[in-house]
Amino acid sequence: MTIKMVDTLIPEYMKEFSCIGSACEDTCCSGWRVDIDEVTYKKYKRVDNLEMKAALEKNVIRNRSNPTSSNVAKMKMRHLKCSFLDNEGLCSIQLKLGEDYLSNTCTVYPRRINKVNGMLERSLTVSCPEATRLVLLKPDGIKFEQNQEVAPSRNLTSVTIDTPEKVSHWKDFFNEYRYVTISILQNRKHSLEDRLLILGMLYNELEEYLQDNKIEQIPSLLGRYLDCVEDETFIGEFNNIPNRLEIKLRLCRELVVLRLTEGITSARFLECSRDMISGLKIEANLSEDEINKNYEYSFGKFYSPFIKNHEYMLENYLVNYVFKNCFPIDCDSPFESYARMVVLYSLIKLHLIGMANHYEGLSSDHVIKLIQSLSKTFEHNGQVFEKLMNLLKENKFITLTYMSILIKN
């Protein structure tokens, strides 16, 4: 039999990943809906094991509301966890029936598979604690490698992109955007804040090019920014951006309150959020000036000294975000895609600064816990994140000026 091979592009950390099962401090299915695809649902109907057959009939619920082939049914949840999760935190379907009986959702998570011009691109989502450790704890940055592997037996692709030879739309330069964005994010001649500000200028100017219908000039725009970053043209360019801390804190607080009112199911994120609120003393009904002083104290005393030696953790988060999400063509507008990334970065930074004051210091474990639980809470809940973005749009905050305020100290 001929084995079919496919070309792949993966971050090197993918080779190190394996599920740590019951040793994991979280569970894949906690607080989420677990969809069952059509092929797996039919398999469940043919199970011979009487114990498992009865359990499946009891706990797999048919989706009667607009089902697709990927969600014909769903698992019944018990105390916010899948009914098939045993007391050891292990999946009883995998234990008793085998890996082939896992649904597509459970088979692929926490992996993300995209197909770009025929090449499979695999990465990890940082909503899984073990994946977060592998992604963030790379002091030299995330490296990528091309290879070949046996073609997967199931189609678990999230996004398929085919860029045409003849360009007619701004999204057709996908590979160029991603190369330039990751190159800038990994250029450590500049602080991470400056790298994000440079990307803001780039994607703001790109929006102007699109409004003026200058699509054919996009490659020269990207090349110009890449050259300016390499020859350090931007060094010192952002020193005079005002540090509007009161606006930044007000924006971030509104985002957090909005998320809290939507209901949070991640106990780990609730702990981080509680520590942030405690650290900034928001719960004590202090005045805005007093909260600002707490923020500035924690920033200078605890956050900055830690991040100075661990900035690579935030860089790796952003690089992985860009690669995994097919940034910036994951939105209709390139600047909106950039704004989404900046909002997540700002939420991470705000929480870490509050947590740093609460604990009187930070550790890598704090960063991993926060980024993993925040990703699970915000990135995997599209409905809530859309509300967050709509709030920003309604207040006309999706601009380079406000994004710069969110990024700066």
Side-chain angles (χ1 to χ4, degrees):
M1 187 175 76
T2 303
I3 298 176
K4 186 179 179 182
M5 305 294 288
V6 292
D7 294 326
T8 60
L9 175 64
I10 62 168
E12 286 183 347
Y13 66 67
M14 285 297 296
K15 294 182 292 187
E16 303 172 50
F17 178 74
S18 63
C19 177
I20 60 174
S22 59
C24 185
E25 54 270 59
D26 204 347
T27 60
C28 303
C29 51
S30 175
W32 283 351
R33 167 176 160 155
V34 180
D35 289 328
I36 307 298
D37 55 279
E38 187 172 12
V39 172
T40 304
Y41 182 74
K42 289 179 178 176
K43 272 186 184 178
Y44 290 167
K45 289 293 182 185
R46 299 193 296 269
V47 165
D48 294 328
N49 181 310
L50 294 179
E51 178 194 357
M52 289 303 293
K53 187 178 182 66
L56 288 164
E57 288 177 350
K58 180 181 178 183
N59 294 305
V60 176
I61 307 166
R62 192 71 192 262
N63 180 10
R64 304 290 181 189
S65 177
N66 301 317
T68 66
S69 60
S70 62
N71 67 349
V72 298
K74 62 182 179 181
M75 289 298 187
K76 184 181 288 184
M77 307 301 279
R78 185 179 298 126
H79 304 301
L80 299 176
K81 295 179 181 178
C82 179
S83 305
F84 289 92
L85 201 67
D86 68 15
N87 293 332
E88 303 296 322
L90 300 174
C91 172
S92 55
I93 291 180
Q94 183 170 1
L95 287 173
K96 296 179 179 178
L97 298 177
E99 191 173 343
D100 286 345
Y101 281 79
L102 293 178
S103 65
N104 286 347
T105 300
C106 297
T107 297
V108 74
Y109 184 81
R111 303 164 191 84
R112 162 97 173 196
I113 302 174
N114 298 322
K115 193 173 184 180
V116 179
N117 294 327
M119 181 178 289
L120 284 188
E121 299 187 349
R122 294 192 291 116
S123 55
L124 294 174
T125 173
V126 293
S127 54
C128 158
E130 181 64 3
T132 311
R133 279 185 280 273
L134 291 176
V135 171
L136 300 190
L137 297 179
K138 294 283 181 287
D140 295 329
I142 294 177
K143 296 179 172 59
F144 298 87
E145 67 174 35
Q146 290 188 20
N147 216 325
Q148 279 201 324
E149 63 182 46
V150 177
S153 57
R154 299 194 206 185
N155 180 12
L156 302 172
T157 305
S158 296
V159 175
T160 298
I161 297 170
D162 289 304
T163 55
E165 289 186 13
K166 186 176 180 180
V167 173
S168 60
H169 193 277
W170 72 270
K171 290 188 176 183
D172 294 339
F173 289 115
F174 167 65
N175 281 322
E176 288 83 354
Y177 299 133
R178 189 167 63 175
Y179 174 76
V180 171
T181 302
I182 291 179
S183 296
I184 292 175
L185 284 174
Q186 293 186 320
N187 190 317
R188 298 184 181 177
K189 293 176 182 175
H190 305 262
S191 71
L192 187 58
E193 283 188 0
D194 283 1
R195 288 174 244 166
L196 282 170
L197 291 168
I198 292 168
L199 286 175
M201 292 170 58
L202 166 59
Y203 283 104
N204 191 57
E205 197 167 344
L206 177 59
E207 285 284 353
E208 294 172 357
Y209 272 45
L210 299 185
Q211 290 169 12
D212 295 337
N213 198 27
K214 297 194 295 188
I215 292 178
E216 73 283 357
Q217 296 181 36
I218 289 175
S220 64
L221 171 71
L222 297 173
R224 175 158 54 84
Y225 271 85
L226 205 53
D227 289 343
C228 287
V229 170
E230 281 299 321
D231 64 21
E232 304 182 26
T233 300
F234 292 115
I235 295 290
E237 281 293 306
F238 308 111
N239 292 344
N240 294 325
I241 291 180
N243 185 12
R244 300 291 303 277
L245 185 56
E246 77 284 1
I247 294 178
K248 176 178 177 172
L249 275 174
R250 197 181 310 150
L251 272 174
C252 289
R253 286 171 67 182
E254 286 184 10
L255 296 178
V256 170
V257 168
L258 176 62
R259 183 61 187 105
L260 289 172
T261 57
E262 290 294 326
I264 293 177
T265 55
S266 167
R268 285 164 61 80
F269 180 72
L270 283 173
E271 291 169 5
C272 292
S273 189
R274 179 200 62 203
D275 295 342
M276 178 273 290
I277 291 170
S278 167
L280 298 179
K281 298 183 171 51
I282 294 174
E283 84 284 9
N285 294 321
L286 294 183
S287 69
E288 201 165 79
D289 282 347
E290 289 172 302
I291 294 172
N292 290 352
K293 286 178 184 175
N294 289 333
Y295 181 98
E296 288 177 329
Y297 174 78
S298 182
F299 180 87
K301 179 75 174 179
F302 304 119
Y303 177 82
S304 287
F306 175 82
I307 285 298
K308 184 178 180 182
N309 295 317
H310 297 83
E311 195 172 63
Y312 64 87
M313 296 181 77
L314 300 182
E315 173 197 301
N316 291 345
Y317 166 76
L318 294 169
V319 169
N320 194 62
Y321 178 94
V322 168
F323 183 76
K324 173 176 67 71
N325 292 340
C326 297
F327 175 98
I329 68 168
D330 54 336
C331 291
D332 293 334
S333 149
F335 194 81
E336 182 175 335
S337 178
Y338 165 78
R340 285 171 178 260
M341 183 170 70
V342 169
V343 167
L344 288 168
Y345 168 81
S346 301
L347 287 171
I348 290 169
K349 190 172 173 181
L350 172 73
H351 281 77
L352 288 179
I353 291 171
M355 290 167 66
N357 212 23
H358 176 76
Y359 289 107
E360 299 188 339
L362 277 178
S363 69
S364 296
D365 286 342
H366 290 136
V367 181
I368 289 166
K369 179 180 178 181
L370 183 272
I371 289 183
Q372 179 265 323
S373 61
L374 187 141
S375 170
K376 191 170 185 176
T377 301
F378 285 89
E379 288 190 58
H380 287 269
N381 191 329
Q383 196 174 7
V384 170
F385 202 66
E386 285 307 316
K387 288 186 178 179
L388 291 179
M389 295 307 297
N390 287 336
L391 176 69
L392 293 174
K393 288 177 187 174
E394 289 166 7
N395 288 282
K396 302 188 186 306
F397 288 152
I398 308 292
T399 66
L400 182 58
T401 299
Y402 280 105
M403 291 302 110
S404 300
I405 289 171
L406 287 179
I407 293 167
K408 285 292 280 185
N409 292 350

